[in-house]
Amino acid sequence: AQIPFIVEELRRNPFSRRAVIDIRDWKMDSQSEDPACLQHIQYFIRDNKLHCKVLFRSNDACKATFMNAFALIMLQKRIADELNIEVGTYTHRANSFHCYEKDFGMLEGYVHRICGDTELTYDYVGEWDELMEEAKPMIAEKVQTLKNNCMGRE
């Protein structure tokens, strides 16, 4: 129900600073062993482009950030399409941006590519479709697990 609010708020006032989605439910999170990492999403229209800023309380730099950013950029695109405007910037912030020791090699590879001469900008449409199709069953399973945890079933 929050996405329709975002669209209507930005249609009502394209300069609004109120197009915010708060994810955290402290009552639920305090009872969960796996509380939401994503805390907050805010959308802005500036220069006829939809900009998005997200805040995570905790984010695994090696194993989660890519898919988190991908999904949130796709949501940003969906909202921009509904508003009939272009996608603007995406800002990804994490209060605890971390890498587990077992993934240090992967992190070194990321750093090597960043410091190298390779292109770091990706066109997610088309290029990543196959990866997303492969990930959908795992995503659906995780969603169901989280729902079951919320309802006390598992």
Side-chain angles (χ1 to χ4, degrees), residues 55-83:
L55 175 63
F56 284 77
R57 68 169 176 77
S58 181
N59 206 207
D60 181 336
C62 293
K63 296 262 178 98
T65 301
F66 167 79
M67 292 305 281
N68 294 153
F70 180 86
L72 290 163
I73 291 167
M74 291 295 100
L75 178 59
Q76 178 184 4
K77 182 178 182 338
R78 179 179 141 205
I79 293 169
D81 289 347
E82 285 189 50
L83 294 167

Side-chain angles (χ1 to χ4, degrees), residues 14-135:
F15 299 102
S16 178
R17 296 176 303 275
R18 296 174 45 191
V20 174
I21 298 173
D22 284 312
I23 308 300
R24 186 160 195 260
D25 178 338
W26 69 269
K27 287 181 184 176
M28 188 179 300
D29 284 355
S30 68
Q31 304 300 313
S32 174
E33 291 186 28
D34 190 18
C37 293
L38 176 60
Q39 302 291 293
H40 183 91
I41 308 170
Q42 188 165 12
Y43 296 96
F44 302 89
I45 297 176
R46 301 295 183 265
D47 299 321
N48 206 37
K49 293 181 181 176
L50 183 69
H51 301 275
C52 177
K53 294 182 183 249
V54 302
L55 175 63
F56 284 77
R57 68 169 176 77
S58 181
N59 206 207
D60 181 336
C62 293
K63 296 262 178 98
T65 301
F66 167 79
M67 292 305 281
N68 294 153
F70 180 86
L72 290 163
I73 291 167
M74 291 295 100
L75 178 59
Q76 178 184 4
K77 182 178 182 338
R78 179 179 141 205
I79 293 169
D81 289 347
E82 285 189 50
L83 294 167
N84 200 28
I85 60 175
E86 292 182 39
V87 172
T89 60
Y90 170 83
T91 304
H92 189 103
R93 298 172 295 150
N95 290 335
S96 175
F97 194 60
H98 56 272
C99 177
Y100 296 101
E101 187 173 354
K102 64 183 175 51
D103 298 321
F104 282 177
M106 186 183 303
L107 182 61
E108 287 176 19
Y110 291 160
V111 171
H112 178 75
R113 285 189 295 280
I114 289 169
C115 294
D117 293 331
T118 57
E119 177 63 46
L120 295 175
T121 302
Y122 299 99
D123 181 3
Y124 290 115
V125 178
E127 190 171 330
W128 299 96
D129 291 346
E130 186 176 322
L131 179 63
M132 282 304 295
E133 285 304 314
E134 290 175 13

